Amino acid sequence: MKFTIDGQEIEAKPGQTIMEAADAAGIYIPRLCAHSDLKPIGSCRVCTVIVDGRPQAACVKPVAEGMVVENETPELLEHRRNIIDMMFVEGNHFCMFCERSGNCELQAMAYRFGITAPQYPFQFPPKEVDASHPDVMLDHNRCIMCARCVRASQELDGKNVFQSIGRGFDRKIGVNGEKVLADTDMSVDDRSADVCPVGCIIKKRTAFKTPIGQRLYDHQPIGSDIEEGGHE
Amino acid sequence: MSKPKIATTSLAGCFGCHMSLLDIDERILQLIELIDFDKSPIDDIKKIEGRCAVGLIEGGCCNEENVHVLQEFREHCDVLVSLGDCATMGGIPAMRNNIPLAECFDEAYLTGITVYNPSGQVPNDPDIPLILDKVYPAHEVVKIDYFLPGCPPSADAIWAAVTALLSGKPIELPYELLKYD
């Protein structure tokens, strides 16, 4: 079936989401909660596109014949920038000492959008660090509530280490309710330890292994691999 | 025509951004052809005097003296640039922002494991600038025109920004010069 993104005709297979079809066609739609190995949940809203005049999350919206999708409009770029800005001020993102810096998808997204400073007041919310586990650290200061770890633990590891708890601004990632990571069956080899887009889930004793200049997003903006034609 | 002036200051920062400024190496000779320094740790002028084309602010505001200096810079500078992560988002000093101030003082002067303070006094002299409840990024205190994040921003980023401003162009950093670390 055929549909268009920003006027460009795209071939899609039935059942594909807009994001999957766009990826295959080499069009990058920015995303933070979506991950190619996980079921999409449409949570972060960074991948919002306009479908036949209405905003939709490209990671969950299936393609339909003749669909007209807008992706890179000034309004959508501004909308995405606003979301990224909010993520920066609602957490405590100290890139200067974060182990994920250079490989962080949130930071890379901000680079891609050319953000030099968020336009909202910083909240500096009090957050916890859970270093109880011998091999994995959980730093809630950096969490953006993408729930990739929740899904990876359930879908890929067959476990249930992470859950979303609380509501609104107080929502956070919990482990077995109010327990700490050491009380769970979390293993450093779990896929849930790999999928965190930011520096929230960190494998201990792996920090700063990649020198500056060789990290994932040092030279190429996030999404470049998709735009060059390859799958993520 | 006299050369335009640049003023620089380090508020709640570590002087790392100024070290990065010096990292422009021999280009500093070109810079001196283009501009004069007003108040700056580089020439040790203590008070901002004349009209400045550009003010470079390192560090956020952690005390009332920082606020005072920042407001003076805003009054005297045509273009004010937040230089580095501390000016832009508070940086390392802002790590205290979600800890009550009293707890910070206790840890620093009374209960910290490396503290030796037999008198049990916490510094409270009127000559010491009053500390603020938290560390504020520069743009939450005065209007800031440009941001140059990085810890520190690279010498190439600083050079690109300053030369663009001096030729009246907007700062447009290539991808590899915009970094938060």
Side-chain angles (χ1 to χ4, degrees):
Chain A
M1 60 173 84
K2 289 190 171 66
F3 74 112
T4 63
I5 298 180
D6 293 335
Q8 186 186 331
E9 195 169 83
I10 311 277
E11 192 82 45
K13 297 187 197 102
Q16 265 188 328
T17 61
I18 294 173
M19 185 179 284
E20 285 166 341
D23 282 0
I27 295 174
Y28 177 66
I29 300 173
R31 81 277 318 247
L32 284 171
C33 72
H35 187 282
S36 50
D37 295 340
L38 302 170
K39 287 184 193 142
I41 55 168
S43 158
C44 75
R45 297 282 145 177
V46 171
C47 74
T48 299
V49 290
I50 302 292
V51 181
D52 296 329
R54 294 176 62 186
Q56 303 278 356
C59 67
V60 290
K61 179 76 179 168
V63 173
E65 181 70 38
M67 212 176 225
V68 177
V69 177
E70 295 167 52
N71 176 37
E72 292 232 332
T73 68
E75 291 79 13
L76 282 173
L77 294 178
E78 192 191 337
H79 161 84
R80 291 169 185 160
R81 198 216 132 123
N82 289 345
I83 294 176
I84 298 161
D85 277 356
M86 282 188 263
M87 288 179 181
F88 270 96
V89 300
E90 287 180 358
N92 298 306
H93 297 280
F94 291 90
C95 296
M96 68 289 291
F97 62 78
C98 179
E99 299 93 314
R100 194 73 90 220
S101 190
N103 298 314
C104 169
E105 293 180 40
L106 175 65
Q107 184 192 60
M109 203 61 77
Y111 290 167
R112 186 182 167 105
F113 279 80
I115 297 174
T116 53
Q119 59 200 313
Y120 304 117
F122 285 93
Q123 304 297 307
F124 297 112
K127 303 267 184 179
E128 288 147 28
V129 176
D130 177 354
S132 61
H133 194 282
D135 303 316
V136 182
M137 192 176 82
L138 194 57
D139 186 343
H140 292 283
N141 288 290
R142 303 161 179 169
C143 181
I144 56 167
M145 291 306 300
C146 68
R148 280 189 191 176
C149 55
V150 177
R151 286 174 282 157
S153 188
Q154 292 171 0
E155 295 170 22
L156 304 177
D157 301 327
K159 298 181 181 179
N160 192 16
V161 174
F162 300 99
Q163 304 87 29
S164 296
I165 57 173
R167 287 289 177 270
F169 195 71
D170 297 321
R171 190 160 158 248
K172 63 171 190 174
I173 291 296
V175 288
N176 287 1
E178 300 291 325
K179 297 275 190 174
V180 291
L181 206 53
D183 301 328
T184 69
D185 54 354
M186 175 88 197
S187 152
V188 69
D189 300 320
D190 286 352
R191 285 300 311 280
S192 62
D194 287 324
V195 293
C196 184
V198 292
C200 177
I201 300 177
I202 289 283
K203 294 181 183 179
K204 292 184 179 178
R205 298 173 296 278
T206 65
F208 310 113
K209 264 194 177 159
T210 317
I212 290 173
Q214 295 173 27
R215 302 170 305 180
L216 221 41
Y217 306 116
D218 278 341
H219 304 292
Q220 291 288 318
I222 188 169
S224 300
D225 50 341
I226 290 171
E227 287 168 331
E228 281 156 19
H231 244 286
E232 196 184 6
Chain B
M1 203 178 90
S2 64
K3 291 189 274 183
K5 290 210 239 178
I6 289 186
T8 79
T9 189
S10 183
L11 306 176
C14 70
F15 276 89
C17 296
H18 275 82
M19 297 306 289
S20 196
L21 173 61
L22 294 179
D23 251 354
I24 62 173
D25 298 331
E26 74 279 5
R27 284 174 290 188
I28 202 159
L29 298 174
Q30 275 173 269
L31 187 63
I32 288 303
E33 294 290 313
L34 293 171
I35 58 109
D36 283 325
F37 278 104
D38 197 291
K39 171 185 161 77
S40 171
I42 290 172
D43 56 17
D44 211 23
I45 293 176
K46 303 291 189 197
K47 190 155 171 62
I48 190 161
E49 296 290 348
R51 193 73 206 157
C52 294
V54 179
L56 301 178
I57 306 293
E58 173 186 341
C61 291
C62 75
N63 64 33
E64 58 178 358
E65 196 248 350
N66 295 153
V67 174
H68 178 74
V69 171
L70 183 56
Q71 286 171 338
E72 274 192 342
F73 265 69
R74 183 66 278 180
E75 277 168 33
H76 286 84
C77 300
D78 296 339
V79 174
L80 215 49
V81 183
S82 272
L83 184 68
D85 286 339
C86 294
T88 303
M89 53 78 66
I92 300 289
M95 288 183 74
R96 76 164 162 94
N97 280 8
N98 48 40
I99 302 167
L101 197 53
E103 269 180 49
C104 294
F105 272 101
D106 282 354
E107 176 79 15
Y109 295 110
L110 301 173
T111 58
I113 51 169
T114 57
V115 171
Y116 176 74
N117 183 8
S119 72
Q121 267 196 319
V122 175
N124 190 25
D125 193 283
D127 283 346
I128 301 173
L130 194 66
I131 198 162
L132 304 179
D133 61 334
K134 56 178 191 169
V135 178
Y136 293 87
H139 67 276
E140 292 184 10
V141 178
V142 298
K143 160 85 177 155
I144 296 288
D145 302 296
Y146 286 100
F147 300 90
L148 215 50
C151 190
S154 67
D156 288 341
I158 297 173
W159 179 251
V162 169
T163 49
L165 288 177
L166 289 174
S167 48
K169 294 178 191 145
I171 302 175
E172 279 167 10
L173 292 181
Y175 178 81
E176 285 167 293
L177 290 188
L178 173 63
K179 292 280 174 281
Y180 298 168
D181 58 6

